[in-house]
Amino acid sequence: GAGVSQSPSNKVTEKGKDVELRCDPISGHTALYWYRQRLGQGLEFLIYFQGNSAPDKSGLPSDRFSAERTGESVSTLTIQRTQQEDSAVYLCASSFFRTYEQYFGPGTRLTVT
Amino acid sequence: SQQGEEDPQALSIQEGENATMNCSYKTSINNLQWYRQNSGRGLVHLILIRSNEREKHSGRLRVTLDTSKKSSSLLITASRAADTASYFCAASYSGAGSYQLTFGKGTKLSVIP
């Protein structure tokens, strides 16, 4: 079946603009994660969704970051008033409930100029 | 910080040789996973080893876990040019939020044909 998809694959935006990143998880996966990866670095956890439970937002770096998920489907990560330090690859992953293996999308490369 | 750390940061070997990468973590874990990343985009799950396991094999991959030293190693035998990628360990820590993965900064492996 189809894997995790993300759009857009690349996004260039001006400082101060808002951006919205989209993630389509694997069908049937109830858990969805967002990560940020700065150049040459590991992955930073941002947010976790599990079914209809309240999301774990403990990794969001500031109140400019927010994310939503509709049921067990699409998720959007929104960054308001983008800053240059927001430039990174944003990765989405999904998994079955209470399993640990995560399936990653190809990521969105965000460049803030 | 609970972030795991891999070493070496970069490794260059000839095709056919074995590659060994190490990972250290901070506190008790549920499991430790290894992922591969090509060209700075999506990650691919390679292998998961649980805290009560000491060694696991998958094809040319061998993972060991030493909970007393809080370390793990990934061995790739008979390396191929296609193994060139960055390799990350990811720890699932015990307790609340154990579904979260804490990634290291990765080892960049180059296999020279």
Side-chain angles (χ1 to χ4, degrees), chain A residues 21-78:
Chain A
L21 313 180
R22 177 187 169 109
C23 172
D24 282 89
I26 293 172
S27 177
H29 281 190
T30 57
L32 186 148
Y33 311 77
W34 282 98
Y35 295 91
R36 178 173 69 180
Q37 185 180 30
R38 292 197 166 109
L39 186 64
Q41 300 295 310
L43 276 68
E44 300 173 67
F45 166 78
L46 296 178
I47 189 169
Y48 163 72
F49 294 92
Q50 173 54 53
N52 294 317
S53 301
D56 179 348
K57 304 179 182 180
S58 60
L60 295 179
S62 77
D63 58 8
R64 296 186 295 106
F65 287 72
S66 63
E68 292 185 349
R69 187 181 186 194
T70 308
E72 295 182 355
S73 61
V74 171
S75 176
T76 56
L77 176 69
T78 302

